[in-house]
Amino acid sequence: MDELDRALVSLLIADARQPLATLARRLKVARSTVQSRLERLEASGLVQGYTVRLAQPAERPLIRASVLVSIEPRNQTNILARLKAMPEVERAFTTSGRVDLLLQVAAPTTEQLDAVLDAIGAMPGVRSSESLIHLSVKIDRGA
């Protein structure tokens, strides 16, 4: 992937609905160049699809939190299975550093979020957890 590919992907992340002609104009290359680059990125599997991001319904916005979790190493499989069963857990990442997992969780109320956080902290094999409530979005590059 060269600079042109990176610039193309960046524009698509910002707005995947941009016409090829607009992308070409912004990148200062021919439309056919953008089309062939995009076809190559799709064929290579780097670009796997396009999506729509929906605004959170105003009447019921979700409260999100990041949860830093330290676990006992032998319990990772069991803990991940339990987390998969919790619909409030949107994402789970393994990490390097002082914690083992980084979770993104969401719930419609603070009471429900509190219950989810308590359930995560009470799981067998969880040594500790720390939650960081998301307040406002300052940068959102999608994806």
Side-chain angles (χ1 to χ4, degrees):
M1 208 165 103
D2 63 14
E3 279 303 311
L4 181 58
D5 290 336
R6 280 190 276 283
L8 175 58
V9 168
S10 179
L11 288 173
L12 290 171
I13 287 171
D15 180 5
R17 292 182 43 151
Q18 296 179 70
L20 290 177
T22 302
L23 294 168
R25 191 169 44 257
R26 290 184 176 172
L27 295 170
K28 297 180 173 67
V29 297
R31 182 187 176 286
S32 59
T33 301
V34 171
Q35 185 169 0
S36 66
R37 292 288 183 119
L38 191 51
E39 288 171 357
R40 192 180 81 241
L41 290 168
E42 289 171 351
S44 73
L46 184 68
V47 173
Q48 296 183 348
Y50 304 88
T51 188
V52 172
R53 291 183 313 178
L54 300 175
Q56 192 64 42
E59 70 276 0
R60 194 167 184 162
L62 292 175
I63 302 164
R64 286 193 164 77
S66 293
V67 184
L68 309 173
V69 183
S70 294
I71 62 172
E72 296 171 5
R74 290 187 217 128
N75 292 324
Q76 183 175 355
T77 303
N78 291 336
I79 290 169
L80 287 173
R82 289 174 187 247
L83 292 170
K84 282 182 186 178
M86 299 175 74
E88 298 86 0
V89 177
E90 296 179 323
R91 292 188 169 103
F93 303 92
T94 56
T95 66
S96 62
R98 68 179 182 86
V99 297
D100 302 298
L101 297 172
L102 169 64
L103 310 178
Q104 180 180 310
V105 300
T109 67
T110 55
E111 292 80 12
Q112 287 172 304
L113 181 61
D114 191 34
V116 170
L117 297 175
D118 286 346
I120 291 169
M123 284 182 187
V126 170
R127 288 184 182 160
S128 66
S129 65
E130 177 183 352
S131 58
L132 307 162
I133 308 300
H134 299 190
L135 299 177
S136 64
V137 177
K138 302 297 184 185
I139 299 171
D140 184 359
R141 292 194 173 101

